[in-house]
Structures are given as structure tokens and as C-alpha cells.
């Protein structure tokens, strides 16, 4: 009897072990699960980014990364274009859905988010980072908190064939020549500008950057605005800004205040307009509509000064990592793979049409716009991007004031007063 009891107990114990093993092999959490091939845990990285123009290509790159790293999955979410990425990111953190990888513009934005960011100073890719790529995300202690997405430039993208049709032999390099070109284009039956004044960042950030960047010392001017020694209303460059603003409005498409990014770019790509105030990030979208587009960049001039012929070139944004991520090592691996693997480099240059911010990545596969940015950069005909140094939220208020001016609701003196009031209220 005792022997029979021992046998039964032994069988129950064995079944218990088997049941426990079976249960353990199927259990998991929200971001971890067993992999059949390696037995390693699979982790999921949440990537939250704003560049809508590369969303599809970025997803394809992620698929290739996952194939090479079967224990890492990357969940991509894109919010950008006409949507407010900054507000959406703040909502993510407020709700507890903090991404592992996201974007940060640097400077003032670095200060706002620094408490959430991982120090990337000792990552392998840093030794190949171009000097311009370090500036936005380096703090006062010399620590680096972001990896630049790429280098970009913007200005007036122009259709060379439409310019030739209008009899414009030389691309305009100053405000007088730009006005003359607009007149000739209009006379030839072509709408000169595709003005996307429905987008706050097009006018309140990129366009308004020009008088900031054309200062003799842009950083000193901005510091002067903060300490009260400089004023918009007294500044010569901001007085000159009226010329290019009026030119684009008067020679632009119908209903610019309701023209969004997609409409603006599509108008130009379809040959309905001759100039587009945008950057080289529009290249893929333009070629999708018109693969044979013959285009390049013009400056956004505010005067006839020789320095008017310059393009704003800078780091548009940076990849940053949430320092509280449970999968920080895997997130670091993803960034390193993007700029060191052959696959990652190919996507950056050929699929994204990016100008790399690293000396170990050759700028191949660039289209007309990327090449134009490189030419201006090599000739040292560039001006900086300054909006990351502005008070948080100022760009949207600047845009609202420009929209009022474009609608004829306020005069230009009032516009400059609005700029000053916005700065003083938010600084």
C-alpha cells in the first residue's frame, strides 16, 4: 500500500513539473515574449517620430532591422505634417505611454526635455559625427543627448523648365531679382509661388527664420531679445522682411491661408506653380508626382545685399532616447545600426534622400535638391536655423500674426509689434 502511494505521489510531482514548464513557455508580458529560434526574450521598442515624408521608407528599414535582430521589434508611430508633434509627444508622456525613441530639436527643446533623455556621449557613432551635428544637442557640460536625423536645407525650390519658359536666364539671388522673376513668370501664364500659409511651421518657423539668420550675429541678436537690448520694431532685417513676405503673398496661389503642406507641394510638383517655399525633405514627394522634375534651390532674400544669396542649412531634428526605457541597450543598438550598417546607410542616403551628418556615410543617391544644398554648403553660402533658440511656443504665435497680415487684417508695423509682444510674453 505504501509503495502504491509513493508511485502516485511521484506521478503527480512529475505532471506538476511538466505543467509548470508548459505554462512558463507560453507566458509573456506586453513587450517581451519568447522566441522559438533562440529562446531569447523579444523586446518591443516604441519609436515616435515626426517626419511624415519618410514614414513608409522608415517602416521598410525597420523591417530589415528586425530581420537582422529577431529578438527586437520596433513599433513605429508618425505624427507630423500638419499635426503638432510636440503636443502629441507631451501627451504621450502625460499618459504614461512614453516612447523609447523620439525626436528633439535641441537648444531650448533640449533644456525642456533633458530630464528624460539618455546621455549618448560615449556611443560609437559620435566619433564620426560632423561638428555641425553636435551643436543642437550638446549641453553646457559638454554632454551629447541626441543623434542628428540628417542635415537639411530650405529656400525657394524652383522649376528650372518654367523659369526658362518665362525667359529667366539667371536664378535670382536677391530681392529685386526675385520680384523681376515673379513678374516674368506671371506674364508667361505661370503662378510664381506655391504659398502654404495654412501651416504654422512654414511661415512662423522657416520663413520667419530668415531675418533672424541674416543678422550680423544671430545668436547675439536673440540674446538681445531675451535681455531687452534688441527689438523687432527697431531691427533693419525685420523691416526688410516685409519685401519677401509681400512678394510671396502678391504673386502666390489662390487661398494661401487654407493651403496645407500636401496641397502646397502637390501644386508645385504638378507644374501649377514655379516656386515652393520648402526644403529638400520634399524631394521624394515631388518625384513621386513628377519623376522628371528639373529643379533646384533659390535663397529667400530680404534685400539686395550680397549675403542675401544664402540657404538656411542645419540639423532639422535629432533622435533621442528615453533614459527610463526598460530597453535602453536595444534602443542604442538601433541608433548605431542606422548609421553604421550597410543597410542603414543605404536607407538614409538612397531611400530617405538624406544628407548625412556623419563623415563615414557618403552622400550618394541625392536628387536635385540634395545636390543643391551640398553646393551651397561647399561654397559656404549658408545661414543657420535659429528657431530652436526661440521661446517655447513662439513660432505658432508668430505664424498666427503672419496669417493676420496676409489676410489684410493688420499692417506691417502692427505685425512687428505682435512679434515683440509674443517674445516678451513667452521669454
Amino acid at each position: 500500500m505504501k509503495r502504491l502511494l509513493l508511485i502516485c505521489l511521484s506521478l503527480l510531482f512529475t505532471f506538476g513539473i511538466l505543467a509548470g514548464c508548459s505554462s512558463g513557455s507560453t507566458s509573456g508580458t506586453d513587450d517581451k515574449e519568447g522566441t522559438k529560434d533562440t529562446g531569447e526574450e523579444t523586446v518591443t521598442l516604441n519609436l515616435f517620430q515626426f517626419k511624415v515624408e519618410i514614414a513608409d521608407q522608415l517602416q521598410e528599414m525597420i523591417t530589415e532591422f528586425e530581420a537582422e535582430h529577431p529578438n527586437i521589434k520596433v513599433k513605429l508611430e508618425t505624427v507630423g505634417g500638419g499635426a503638432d508633434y510636440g503636443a502629441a509627444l507631451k501627451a504621450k508622456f502625460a499618459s504614461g505611454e512614453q516612447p523609447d525613441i523620439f525626436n528633439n530639436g535641441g537648444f531650448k527643446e533640449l533644456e525642456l526635455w533633458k530630464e528624460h533623455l539618455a546621455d549618448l556621449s560615449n556611443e560609437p557613432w559620435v566619433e564620426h559625427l560632423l561638428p555641425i551635428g553636435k551643436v543642437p544637442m550638446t549641453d553646457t557640460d559638454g554632454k551629447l543627448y541626441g543623434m542628428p536625423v540628417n542635415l537639411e536645407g530650405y529656400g525657394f525650390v524652383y522649376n528650372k523648365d518654367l523659369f526658362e519658359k518665362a525667359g529667366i536666364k539667371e536664378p535670382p539671388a536677391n530681392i529685386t531679382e526675385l520680384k523681376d522673376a515673379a513678374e516674368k513668370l506671371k506674364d508667361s501664364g505661370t503662378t510664381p509661388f506655391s504659398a502654404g500659409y495654412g501651416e504654422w511651421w512654414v511661415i512662423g518657423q522657416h520663413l520667419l527664420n530668415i531675418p533672424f539668420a541674416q543678422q550680423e550675429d544671430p545668436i547675439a541678436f536673440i540674446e538681445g531679445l531675451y535681455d531687452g537690448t534688441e527689438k523687432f520694431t527697431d531691427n533693419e532685417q525685420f523691416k526688410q522682411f516685409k519685401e519677401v513676405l509681400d512678394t510671396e503673398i502678391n504673386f502666390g496661389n489662390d487661398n494661401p491661408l487654407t493651403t496645407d503642406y500636401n496641397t502646397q507641394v502637390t501644386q508645385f510638383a504638378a507644374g501649377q506653380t514655379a516656386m515652393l517655399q520648402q526644403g529638400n525633405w520634399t524631394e521624394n514627394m515631388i518625384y513621386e508626382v513628377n519623376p522628371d522634375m528639373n529643379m533646384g534651390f533659390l535663397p529667400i532674400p530680404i534685400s539686395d545685399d550680397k549675403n542675401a544669396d544664402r540657404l538656411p542649412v542645419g540639423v532639422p531634428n535629432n533622435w533621442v532616447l528615453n533614459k527610463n526605457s526598460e530597453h535602453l541597450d536595444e534602443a542604442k543598438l538601433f541608433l548605431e545600426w542606422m548609421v553604421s550598417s550597410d543597410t542603414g546607410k543605404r536607407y538614409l542616403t538612397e531611400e530617405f534622400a538624406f544628407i548625412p551628418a556623419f563623415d563615414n556615410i557618403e552622400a550618394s543617391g541625392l536628387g536635385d535638391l540634395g545636390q543643391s544644398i551640398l553646393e551651397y554648403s561647399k561654397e559656404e553660402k549658408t545661414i543657420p536655423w535659429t528657431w530652436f533658440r526661440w521661446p517655447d511656443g513662439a513660432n505658432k504665435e508668430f505664424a498666427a500674426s503672419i496669417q493676420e497680415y496676409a489676410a489684410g487684417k493688420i499692417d506691417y508695423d502692427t505685425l512687428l509689434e505682435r512679434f515683440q509682444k509674443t517674445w516678451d510674453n513667452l521669454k
Side-chain angles (χ1 to χ4, degrees):
M1 188 68 179
K2 289 182 179 179
R3 184 179 178 185
L4 180 60
L5 182 60
L6 288 172
I7 291 172
C8 289
L9 289 172
S10 177
L11 288 171
L12 286 171
F13 180 70
T14 301
F15 285 134
I17 292 174
L18 291 173
C21 291
S22 175
S23 175
S25 66
T26 59
S27 65
T29 62
D30 290 341
D31 59 353
K32 293 182 180 181
E33 60 184 14
T35 60
K36 293 180 181 180
D37 295 334
T38 65
E40 295 180 16
E41 290 180 330
T42 297
V43 304
T44 298
L45 298 174
N46 290 301
L47 191 159
F48 188 61
Q49 71 100 30
F50 83 102
K51 293 188 73 63
V52 293
E53 61 271 15
I54 63 160
D56 292 341
Q57 296 93 331
L58 181 57
Q59 183 58 65
E60 292 170 5
M61 187 190 77
I62 287 171
T63 299
E64 297 213 32
F65 171 80
E66 291 174 339
E68 295 182 27
H69 304 83
N71 65 315
I72 304 175
K73 301 298 179 186
V74 182
K75 181 181 178 182
L76 174 65
E77 184 176 357
T78 299
V79 172
D84 189 337
Y85 176 81
L89 180 62
K90 290 176 182 177
K92 286 278 187 186
F93 273 78
S95 67
E97 299 178 1
Q98 301 181 5
D100 302 285
I101 306 170
F102 54 103
N103 294 135
N104 186 285
F107 300 113
K108 287 291 181 183
E109 204 168 316
L110 169 59
E111 294 177 18
L112 287 172
W113 287 90
K114 185 178 173 181
E115 63 178 301
H116 300 288
L117 307 183
D119 181 1
L120 304 178
S121 304
N122 297 318
E123 292 305 295
W125 47 263
V126 174
E127 66 175 307
H128 296 293
L129 185 56
L130 297 176
I132 190 176
K134 296 180 180 180
V135 177
M137 295 301 296
T138 300
D139 71 358
T140 54
D141 295 326
K143 293 182 179 179
L144 182 68
Y145 288 89
M147 185 178 86
V149 173
N150 61 328
L151 296 179
E152 288 181 345
Y154 69 93
F156 286 130
V157 184
Y158 76 109
N159 185 321
K160 294 181 179 181
D161 294 334
L162 289 179
F163 267 57
E164 183 178 351
K165 176 185 173 184
I168 304 168
K169 297 180 180 180
E170 293 292 331
N174 57 47
I175 189 63
T176 297
E177 292 175 1
L178 182 68
K179 290 179 180 179
D180 290 343
E183 288 282 4
K184 289 178 180 178
L185 287 163
K186 184 178 178 180
D187 292 342
S188 72
T190 298
T191 301
F193 294 97
S194 186
Y197 280 41
E199 301 284 10
W200 63 266
W201 55 275
V202 172
I203 53 176
Q205 190 162 283
H206 290 176
L207 185 57
L208 191 59
N209 174 65
I210 303 302
F212 279 95
Q214 284 286 9
Q215 301 293 323
E216 184 176 344
D217 186 337
I219 296 176
F221 174 70
I222 291 172
E223 290 175 349
L225 288 173
Y226 277 112
D227 66 26
T229 58
E230 295 282 1
K231 299 288 184 183
F232 290 99
T233 51
D234 300 332
N235 186 263
E236 184 62 28
Q237 284 79 4
F238 275 87
K239 292 177 182 178
Q240 293 172 343
F241 179 60
K242 181 180 188 298
E243 294 299 314
V244 71
L245 189 58
D246 288 352
T247 301
E248 188 175 20
I249 293 170
N250 294 335
F251 290 93
N253 52 291
D254 294 335
N255 305 313
L257 293 173
T258 57
T259 301
D260 62 11
Y261 173 76
N262 287 330
T263 304
Q264 180 197 19
V265 177
T266 302
Q267 284 178 347
F268 174 79
Q272 298 171 11
T273 57
M275 287 179 279
L276 168 72
Q277 185 221 306
Q278 279 293 345
N280 63 300
W281 51 84
T282 61
E283 197 155 56
N284 285 341
M285 185 174 175
I286 293 170
Y287 282 140
E288 284 176 7
V289 177
N290 184 355
D292 299 321
M293 175 66 79
N294 181 20
M295 58 185 171
F297 270 115
L298 302 173
I300 303 177
I302 57 176
S303 70
D304 288 337
D305 188 87
K306 64 179 181 179
N307 291 325
D309 186 18
R310 296 175 182 272
L311 293 186
V313 176
V315 176
N317 229 293
N318 304 270
W319 297 112
V320 295
L321 304 183
N322 184 347
K323 72 176 184 181
N324 295 317
S325 169
E326 296 180 3
H327 312 302
L328 188 56
D329 288 340
E330 289 84 357
K332 288 181 177 179
L333 175 64
F334 179 75
L335 294 191
E336 168 65 12
W337 179 88
M338 268 204 296
V339 298
S340 65
S341 70
D342 290 340
T343 303
K345 291 178 182 179
R346 177 174 62 82
Y347 270 91
L348 288 175
T349 56
E350 297 179 18
E351 303 298 330
F352 300 170
F354 278 176
I355 301 172
F358 297 86
D359 62 17
N360 64 322
I361 304 178
E362 184 179 353
S364 60
L366 298 178
D368 288 346
L369 299 185
Q371 289 296 338
S372 190
I373 295 294
L374 278 181
E375 289 169 11
Y376 270 86
S377 298
K378 289 177 181 178
E379 294 174 11
E380 297 184 350
K381 294 167 60 175
T382 63
I383 51 177
W385 295 12
T386 66
W387 57 84
F388 292 118
R389 298 180 184 271
W390 303 351
D392 187 37
N395 43 21
K396 291 182 183 177
E397 293 198 19
F398 289 152
S401 297
I402 292 173
Q403 287 168 337
E404 285 194 68
Y405 176 75
K409 294 181 179 180
I410 59 174
D411 61 22
Y412 194 74
D413 288 340
T414 303
L415 178 61
L416 294 183
E417 291 169 3
R418 292 279 185 88
F419 290 163
Q420 189 65 54
K421 183 177 181 181
T422 293
W423 192 281
D424 292 341
N425 288 341
L426 296 177
K427 67 180 182 180

